[in-house]
Amino acid sequence: QQNVQQSPESLIVPEGARTSLNCTFSDSASQYFWWYRQHSGKAPKALMSIFSNGEKEEGRFTIHLNKASLHFSLHIRDSQPSDSALYLCAVSFYAQGLTFGLGTRVSVFP
Amino acid sequence: GALVYQYPRRTICKSGTSMRMECQAVGFQATSVAWYRQSPQKTFELIALSTVNSAIKYEQNFTQEKFPISHPNLSFSSMTVLNAYLEDRGLYLCGARGAQDTQYFGPGTRLLVL
């Protein structure tokens, strides 16, 4: 059974700083790796995904995957107050349901 | 854009009764629908994955007898919580899978059991 862990549980960062979130998984055969962001009272929304080892950048967001280490991460450059949310990492196999971590609550203060 | 609607947004039921929740994908064809539950102090747990014209796959600890699902077409799915008890309370999310394997989530149905 897949086990997905996130760290840290919560993070407080000043505006403009870099935010780094971590996610580890247990099944080395996992194929898809996701970061979702959930604002209070809203549905989780897909932020970024990666399918192969390496790095992927989209705007201020960078996702990094190392399958051998069973680890992937999300980095937010120039963090903004609007980035304050619950960040959920999730792992899946193709066309299967997601296994989520518990989330990291990020607060960005001006 | 791809949107997922869920109904109702919030419901209260008496212990031992049943309630049905619905999920509608708009703006895209959902190749599959997954139902999740977020219980208090827990993350989202996968209940079942439903693909049209295929058997519904339930995860460990969840059964068809307790959470029957109907998935008649590519845009609609419903799930019923039968004989709801306190441990069934939580936020039930519907995730509809679109292009590039992305799951789009609805806002959820929050179930309170008295």
Side-chain angles (χ1 to χ4, degrees):
Chain A
Q1 181 125 2
Q2 181 81 263
N3 183 20
V4 178
Q5 301 286 332
Q6 285 188 244
S7 64
E9 285 187 16
S10 62
L11 208 50
I12 301 175
V13 297
E15 184 175 358
R18 175 183 167 93
T19 301
S20 293
L21 310 175
N22 297 293
C23 187
T24 60
F25 54 97
S26 59
D27 191 336
S28 59
S30 301
Q31 295 174 298
Y32 290 74
F33 306 87
W34 305 84
W35 283 99
Y36 279 80
R37 182 165 70 180
Q38 185 182 25
H39 286 107
S40 184
K42 300 287 179 76
K45 188 173 178 183
L47 201 55
M48 286 187 75
S49 60
I50 194 166
F51 312 123
S52 56
N53 275 333
E55 211 169 79
K56 181 178 169 185
E57 184 178 328
E58 288 180 3
R60 296 185 295 112
F61 299 88
T62 302
I63 189 171
H64 182 86
L65 171 65
N66 184 330
K67 283 191 181 182
S69 301
L70 303 176
H71 175 266
F72 64 110
S73 57
L74 178 71
H75 306 277
I76 307 172
R77 177 171 47 86
D78 186 25
S79 299
Q80 300 296 308
S82 57
D83 294 328
S84 298
L86 179 68
Y87 288 77
L88 296 158
C89 70
V91 179
S92 74
F93 295 92
Y94 177 71
Q96 299 302 306
L98 300 169
T99 301
F100 285 93
L102 280 172
T104 295
R105 189 159 296 282
V106 174
S107 298
V108 181
F109 63 93
Chain B
L3 290 172
V4 176
Y5 294 100
Q6 286 189 251
Y7 178 83
R9 292 292 304 274
R10 178 184 286 260
T11 185
I12 302 173
C13 67
K14 284 186 177 179
S15 182
T17 64
S18 302
M19 69 82 54
R20 179 172 176 264
M21 55 190 78
E22 299 178 350
C23 173
Q24 179 91 39
V26 176
F28 69 107
Q29 288 197 325
T31 54
S32 66
V33 170
W35 287 92
Y36 299 83
R37 178 175 72 189
Q38 185 185 39
S39 303
Q41 310 306 319
K42 286 188 177 180
T43 191
F44 295 100
E45 291 179 281
L46 177 64
I47 297 171
L49 179 71
S50 173
T51 306
V52 176
N53 299 324
S54 295
I56 298 170
K57 182 185 171 191
Y58 286 83
E59 293 296 300
Q60 195 175 7
N61 301 325
F62 298 98
T63 65
Q64 182 180 6
E65 290 71 30
K66 173 73 175 176
F67 299 97
I69 290 171
S70 171
H71 191 183
N73 57 58
L74 287 172
S75 64
F76 181 83
S77 176
S78 67
M79 183 177 76
T80 302
V81 181
L82 293 175
N83 299 317
Y85 288 99
L86 193 61
E87 58 266 26
D88 294 319
R89 64 193 167 125
L91 180 68
Y92 287 81
L93 275 190
C94 159
R97 178 172 269 106
Q100 298 181 342
D101 217 45
T102 299
Q103 281 201 10
Y104 299 96
F105 287 96
T109 294
R110 188 165 294 282
L111 173 63
L112 298 173
V113 182
L114 301 178

